[in-house]
Amino acid sequence: MIAIKDIFKQVRIDLKDMNEVQYSTWDLENAINKAIRLMANHFSMIHTDFLTRTVLTCDTPADFDVAFPIEREHKGELYGASLPDDFVAVVKVLRPDGYELHPSTGHLDKRKYLIYRGCLFTLGPVLLTYSYTLPNCSIDDGIDLPITFFDFIVEATKVALTETTGGLTTFINDNAEKMIPSRRLTN
């Protein structure tokens, strides 16, 4: 866990703003949150296992009313759950027997899942592995990242404070993949 106040302190030292004249705490919070959001989105799109979580979901039959054709077709055996609040993208959806489900756009069966209006629908319980984003933080918070990301976040925050959004995007694209391999190791 990295303390936000330690990042702020290092940014102020690097930018020679120890008296908090040039940048306010709000400026720093805004810059660090922008940097973290862009970094998390970048990692979710390069298919790394860095910002991923696995949760058991769809473990009870759907008892809410949704209006799409699948509900009528599989009345009573449809399972559903809202996607997590920090959800960015699906990595994989597994049945308890280890079979990996495939996305569907209409027809639902034991081999497919459907995402519709912020909910995941299946025909039984599944393990959802998904990319997630980090929440916004303030000076008294910490970021759930390894300490090896400290300098990266400091530099990204400085870029967010001193350059345009394009500069921050370029910085993240050029440096994020150096932090973590872009390919996952799988069997």
Side-chain angles (χ1 to χ4, degrees):
M1 173 100 35
I2 302 172
I4 298 294
K5 60 184 166 192
D6 292 341
I7 293 172
F8 283 12
K9 183 177 173 183
Q10 188 62 49
V11 168
R12 288 197 187 282
I13 290 169
D14 290 354
L15 295 177
K16 297 174 181 36
D17 187 35
M18 291 306 295
N19 293 327
E20 301 179 18
V21 174
Q22 192 173 5
Y23 300 106
S24 68
T25 299
W26 183 88
D27 290 331
L28 288 174
E29 284 178 359
N30 188 40
I32 195 169
N33 284 319
K34 184 184 291 186
I36 290 170
R37 277 193 311 273
L38 287 173
M39 180 195 68
N41 287 338
H42 179 80
F43 281 123
S44 72
M45 298 305 152
I46 62 171
H47 305 294
T48 180
D49 59 355
F50 168 57
L51 286 172
T52 60
R53 286 190 177 137
T54 301
V55 296
L56 176 65
T57 189
C58 297
D59 54 346
T60 57
D63 62 351
F64 43 91
D65 186 32
V66 290
F68 62 93
I70 293 169
E71 182 186 21
R72 287 182 231 109
E73 185 180 331
H74 296 288
K75 194 72 172 171
E77 58 185 26
L78 183 66
Y79 287 66
S82 295
L83 292 171
D85 292 336
D86 58 356
F87 176 86
V88 174
V90 171
V91 174
K92 63 183 167 184
V93 178
L94 294 173
R95 288 191 319 220
D97 64 2
Y99 181 83
E100 186 172 345
L101 301 179
H102 303 285
S104 173
T105 56
H107 177 71
L108 192 63
D109 60 34
K110 294 266 185 204
R111 299 170 293 140
K112 296 181 180 177
Y113 68 90
L114 175 71
I115 293 181
Y116 182 75
R117 293 187 178 172
C119 295
L120 175 68
F121 295 97
T122 63
L123 295 181
V126 293
L127 289 172
L128 170 65
T129 301
Y130 66 99
S131 297
Y132 69 95
T133 190
L134 296 165
N136 283 342
C137 51
S138 64
I139 192 165
D140 297 323
D141 295 334
I143 306 172
D144 190 19
L145 291 173
I147 194 67
T148 55
F149 278 86
F150 181 83
D151 290 325
F152 177 82
I153 294 171
V154 167
E155 294 303 315
T157 302
K158 290 181 343 191
V159 170
L161 284 170
T162 59
E163 295 183 22
T164 65
T165 302
L168 178 58
T169 303
T170 302
F171 174 81
I172 289 174
N173 288 340
D174 292 346
N175 294 291
E177 291 180 34
K178 294 175 186 172
M179 298 293 296
I180 291 184
S182 62
R183 293 195 178 123
R184 285 187 310 216
L185 301 175
T186 58
N187 291 336

